[in-house]
Amino acid sequence: PRRRGHERERARFLVFWSRNWTPKLAPQRSLSNTSSMDEWLYREPSAFGGKRLFRLGLSADYGLDEAGVRAAMDRGVNWFLVTSSGKGLEKPLREALAQRRDDVAVVAFANIGWFGWGVRRGADRLLRRLDTDYIDVLMLGWLGVASAWTPATERALVELRKSGKVRAIGVS
């Protein structure tokens, strides 16, 4: 069957394009030595007091078990998002916090973020569960859906930060 004119022209263009087009790749940084690899893999965000943190954080919300958490830790992951449903994270994180608290970052959501008392109680409960003195970042999660920015929640977050139980506050 004969092709119509515009189909034949389009076919010629595609053949020309595929033969003559060379993809432009972004320049690759050399990661051949350990120091430049570490430079790329780790950062020191100011919100975490200058802690040297792995680029990827870990949350165990979607069924990641204790063995998976330990495998991630063995590969350098050292900042963790703690929620009420990430049970596989608690035991290995508690151990890591006990051994090297200054190298591990904990980010958490206030469980009951609608009221000031809920924010305080959630933070205190998390501190006990993880057996640690402070949370690096405490956030009101799902603002407007699962939490609210009210004078009471703001006051509770600021009080927690001033007391040293929380180093930084935020919203998500």
Side-chain angles (χ1 to χ4, degrees):
R2 290 179 16 168
R3 292 186 180 187
R4 294 186 192 143
H6 69 280
E7 290 174 344
R8 190 171 35 248
E9 200 55 39
R10 183 173 182 271
R12 275 193 215 125
F13 169 76
L14 290 174
V15 168
F16 171 81
W17 182 78
S18 64
R19 286 184 186 156
N20 295 297
W21 181 74
T22 306
K24 303 286 187 218
L25 300 175
Q28 296 294 311
R29 290 178 28 179
S30 171
L31 299 176
S32 59
N33 64 34
T34 305
S35 66
S36 59
M37 179 61 95
D38 281 352
E39 209 176 284
W40 185 84
L41 285 175
Y42 293 91
R43 292 287 186 255
E44 295 178 7
S46 59
F48 293 93
K51 286 184 182 184
R52 189 170 172 265
L53 300 176
F54 197 71
R55 278 182 175 254
L56 298 174
L58 183 67
S59 173
D61 277 4
Y62 297 100
L64 187 63
D65 62 3
E66 193 174 314
V69 172
R70 289 185 191 285
M73 288 177 166
D74 290 345
R75 287 164 178 78
V77 174
N78 64 343
W79 76 267
F80 304 92
L81 175 63
V82 180
T83 64
S84 57
S85 60
K87 301 300 180 190
L89 184 60
E90 282 188 29
K91 186 177 178 188
L93 183 54
R94 227 182 354 261
E95 292 169 5
L97 290 170
Q99 294 169 5
R100 51 190 176 104
R101 180 61 178 107
D102 292 338
D103 299 328
V104 177
V106 175
V107 179
F109 291 117
N111 284 344
I112 304 174
W114 290 101
F115 310 100
W117 60 265
V119 172
R120 280 188 302 279
R121 187 185 315 170
D124 288 336
R125 187 177 299 139
L126 181 61
L127 289 168
R128 282 191 306 275
R129 271 181 24 214
L130 296 178
D131 194 23
T132 188
D133 296 334
Y134 67 92
I135 300 165
D136 292 280
V137 180
L138 181 65
M139 298 192 299
L140 291 177
W142 290 77
L143 194 62
V145 176
S147 64
W149 189 266
T150 65
T153 57
E154 179 182 1
R155 208 171 22 257
L157 288 168
V158 171
E159 286 171 8
L160 286 165
R161 188 174 48 82
K162 283 182 180 177
S163 73
K165 291 180 179 181
V166 171
R167 298 279 170 96
I169 55 176
V171 296
S172 165

